[in-house]
Amino acid sequence: QAKTDCADGLTFAFVPGNWVNEVGAAGAGYGWQNLGGYAVAIDTFQNPGEPAVPFLALLDGVTNNTVTVLLRQAIPEVRNAQNHQLRVKLDGGKVSVWLDSVSYVFEYPLPGYVPFWGRWGFTAGTGGLTCAQYVRDATMSFPNGQGCVP
């Protein structure tokens, strides 16, 4: 059943380091803020100063662990109890993002991007609300050998 008053959302994040149990900031921090790196967020709760939800955001947390919103893009309703497919591609410091096969970000250059050793994964954040968000059938591929671990 669809829930209209939901939590902040989730990210697909790529963060430096080898920790796997670190916890980022709650709420609008998506469980990712303070971990560094970059994230693609799907936000489902409108905090003060944010655009109408739902939206997709490309986040940069490299500098001083502060979150810089590189861009926001309106997306269709995702709080509808339906499965949705998120595809993220990082190639040569440029990010592309598709949601349900629709391109929302295409080869966006990450400012000052330098490849780093780290982890990929999903994070989520709630404020005072709750919302079940499930990730399943995750697959990864590495263009041009990027991300390959010896």
Side-chain angles (χ1 to χ4, degrees):
Q1 180 178 15
K3 188 170 182 181
T4 58
D5 191 14
C6 224
D8 282 285
L10 76 149
T11 75
F12 175 72
F14 30 114
V15 299
N18 59 1
W19 5 269
V20 293
N21 293 321
E22 291 291 320
V23 177
Y30 307 104
W32 164 81
Q33 184 178 355
N34 299 326
L35 299 180
Y38 301 93
V40 174
I42 294 180
D43 200 326
T44 57
F45 182 81
Q46 187 173 3
N47 291 296
E50 290 183 341
V53 291
F55 63 82
L56 181 142
L58 183 56
L59 308 173
D60 175 352
V62 172
T63 307
N64 299 323
N65 285 330
T66 58
V67 175
T68 301
V69 177
L70 297 173
L71 61 90
R72 285 188 174 113
Q73 180 72 40
I75 58 174
E77 182 59 64
V78 292
R79 298 169 295 184
N80 57 8
Q82 301 298 311
N83 291 327
H84 297 279
Q85 181 183 41
L86 176 68
R87 179 176 174 221
V88 178
K89 178 182 176 184
L90 172 62
D91 189 6
K94 295 179 182 176
V95 176
S96 299
V97 182
W98 297 262
L99 178 63
D100 296 331
S101 299
V102 175
S103 174
Y104 288 94
V105 179
F106 186 72
E107 295 188 353
Y108 185 91
L110 295 172
Y113 177 78
V114 176
F116 55 83
W117 189 90
R119 299 282 188 248
W120 301 76
F122 293 90
T123 66
T126 62
L129 301 172
T130 60
C131 190
Q133 300 169 4
Y134 302 97
V135 175
R136 66 178 194 177
D137 300 327
T139 60
M140 298 183 77
S141 62
F142 300 99
N144 305 318
Q146 294 182 84
C148 293
V149 178

